[in-house]
Amino acid sequence: MADHLVIVEALTSGTGLRLVEAATRKADRVTFVTRDTGRYANDPLRALLETGAVDVRVRETRSTEELTELFAELLDDAPFTLIAPNEQFLLPAATAAEKLGIPFLPTEAVRLTQDKHAFRVACAERDIPAPRSTAAADLATALAAAEATGYPVVLKPSIGTGSYGVVSASDADEVRAHFPAVLAESEAQGGVPLVEEFLIGPVVSAEVLYAGGVPHVLGISDRIMSELPYFMELAIRFPVDLAPAAHAAIERICADLAGLLSYDQGPAHIEFALTADGPKIVEFNPRFAGRNVSTMVSAALDWNVFDGIVASYLGEPVAVPAPVRAASEQALYARGGGRFEGVAGRELAERVPGLESIRITARPGDELADAKDQRSEYGTLWCTGATADEAGIRAASAATYLRPVFAGRG
């Protein structure tokens, strides 16, 4: 047992507190730091924060100063192991840790994971295959970059998640049409627009657990994407089989990224496009995937990945079991948007074989945008099956029975 684990925030997509629960099994003392416990109102384990098993500290977790003060206070008792699984709060936590000499991910590496343009440049310097990328602060620069890159291109903010502001453009007219929205999203996040090479090929993700700088690939999940010009993730299946050469190439890139980012311990969700030239990295996330993916991976492996995450931070050996089944998630989007009132058809969806969970995250009265990114998502569901295909068709079937109900619509 570890003496003390300190966890700064968690994912809010519904399974984040499972990591905190796992920490209580691995440490004598667990401190959970959050700016607002209400962030976890949709988490099935939200009651954990009220049981006394976890020392909850409410601080402004976006403030380096407040975290530095808290960490110093906790260090007065004894050293602790730090975990920060939500990238929104990773940089303040890393900066505070660096100030106090607490072993953690270097701030320079955190900035690389959060700034897509800097990450692309660093990958190019290390010959890690990634799309060509150009920062474009204005429309004229974006048009010139798109012409030099070759159409189609991808426009995206250099900082952000959830495919916010990410769009494809097949010609100069589409660059002109989309650029203002991409610029606005970029400025809101403190970044700049990027013009990137459009990677043609399926999108997959490696779900990875690093231990001692060695990547343990738990499996590959595929991504069923929306129609262009947007890049919404509609469905996920885990695990999927790839050709041995593609799998080996992904593992090599995962190892190279450990060196680039000094990423020794912890989970990673690493997205790739499987191009004709081999896998190219789209994004490195220093966490497991959101929504239900970590729970799905646990179900497929019959192994609690949250226990594995905590073990990796504690420097314990990691032994990943082979999968015994598969799982698939379906995202539920609000086509057309509107004021959400509820969901119809749930009683039918719940009768689909293998259905594990339906989570409706939107609340009555929420205004949902038209489906362009995750902001229009009103929930998720996931199913298990003997294979990824079986789990996938079960999840797709269950989703067809559900219908969002909006105010003022028949």
Side-chain angles (χ1 to χ4, degrees):
M1 292 283 285
D3 291 328
H4 190 190
L5 283 167
V6 175
I7 302 174
V8 177
E9 298 289 6
L11 296 179
T12 55
S13 54
T15 59
L17 294 182
R18 292 188 186 278
L19 180 64
V20 180
E21 179 193 43
T24 64
R25 294 192 291 270
K26 301 287 287 185
D28 293 323
R29 178 184 176 192
V30 176
T31 298
F32 182 63
V33 189
T34 179
R35 59 191 299 264
D36 178 12
T37 56
R39 288 169 49 80
Y40 305 96
N42 288 326
D43 195 297
L45 294 178
R46 57 191 174 275
L48 178 67
L49 303 182
E50 303 170 359
T51 62
V54 177
D55 177 16
V56 179
R57 303 291 184 99
V58 178
R59 297 289 191 280
E60 178 47 79
T61 45
R62 297 170 298 185
S63 168
T64 297
E65 291 73 21
E66 287 203 30
L67 289 179
T68 302
E69 181 181 335
L70 175 61
F71 291 172
E73 175 188 332
L74 295 174
L75 282 173
D76 285 342
D77 295 334
F80 59 82
T81 299
L82 177 63
I83 302 174
N86 187 323
E87 68 263 47
Q88 294 181 51
F89 309 94
L90 185 55
L91 185 58
T95 305
E98 202 164 76
K99 285 183 177 181
L100 297 171
I102 300 169
F104 196 61
L105 189 63
T107 56
E108 182 180 354
V110 173
R111 290 190 173 92
L112 277 183
T113 68
Q114 297 184 346
D115 185 328
K116 295 176 175 63
H117 183 58
F119 181 67
R120 297 282 188 257
V121 171
C123 285
E125 291 173 349
R126 294 281 191 110
D127 292 324
I128 297 174
R132 289 170 287 137
S133 178
T134 304
D138 54 54
L139 178 59
T141 305
L143 287 167
E147 189 68 30
T149 302
Y151 290 103
V153 295
V154 175
L155 307 178
K156 63 168 60 173
S158 61
I159 298 174
T161 60
S163 298
Y164 293 3
V166 182
V167 65
S168 68
S170 60
D171 55 33
D173 286 342
E174 290 192 358
V175 172
R176 293 187 186 96
H178 293 307
F179 187 80
V182 179
L183 177 61
E185 187 71 45
S186 299
E187 291 177 341
Q189 300 300 325
V192 296
L194 301 180
V195 178
E196 293 199 340
E197 172 189 7
F198 189 108
L199 300 180
I200 297 176
V203 178
V204 301
S205 297
E207 313 306 338
V208 185
L209 192 55
Y210 286 88
V214 177
H216 298 267
V217 178
L218 308 186
I220 305 295
S221 58
D222 69 353
R223 291 290 187 274
I224 309 302
M225 307 300 292
S226 66
E227 295 179 1
L228 297 176
Y230 303 111
F231 292 86
M232 296 184 298
E233 294 181 354
L234 304 180
I236 300 168
R237 299 181 303 168
F238 177 93
V240 295
D241 293 326
L242 299 181
H247 200 284
I250 286 173
E251 289 191 326
R252 286 195 301 271
I253 294 172
C254 291
D256 290 341
L257 290 169
L260 172 65
L261 299 169
S262 301
Y263 202 75
D264 292 331
Q265 275 86 31
H269 168 66
I270 310 174
E271 298 182 8
F272 295 88
L274 302 181
T275 74
D277 298 321
K280 291 188 178 183
I281 183 167
V282 176
E283 194 167 270
F284 181 98
N285 298 284
R287 55 167 174 79
F288 267 157
R291 298 194 184 109
N292 300 296
V293 174
S294 296
T295 306
M296 288 165 45
V297 172
S298 293
L301 299 179
D302 194 23
W303 179 67
N304 191 315
V305 299
F306 300 97
D307 286 340
I309 292 171
V310 175
S312 74
Y313 277 109
L314 295 175
E316 297 177 0
V318 173
V320 180
V324 296
R325 55 184 171 274
S328 179
E329 177 186 65
Q330 192 86 17
L332 305 173
Y333 286 104
R335 300 289 179 184
R339 185 158 60 87
F340 182 79
E341 288 191 340
V343 176
R346 184 163 183 158
E347 66 283 358
L348 295 178
E350 289 175 342
R351 292 164 59 184
V352 172
L355 180 76
E356 298 289 340
S357 173
I358 298 174
R359 293 188 59 253
I360 305 303
T361 52
R363 299 178 181 180
D366 284 352
E367 286 290 340
L368 300 182
D370 189 15
K372 296 180 180 179
D373 55 43
Q374 282 183 241
R375 283 172 287 202
S376 65
E377 183 181 298
Y378 69 86
T380 60
L381 62 83
W382 68 282
C383 293
T384 53
T387 66
D389 285 339
E390 182 177 66
I393 59 177
R394 286 175 168 180
S397 173
T400 64
Y401 296 114
L402 297 176
R403 179 175 60 86
V405 179
F406 294 104
R409 294 192 199 171

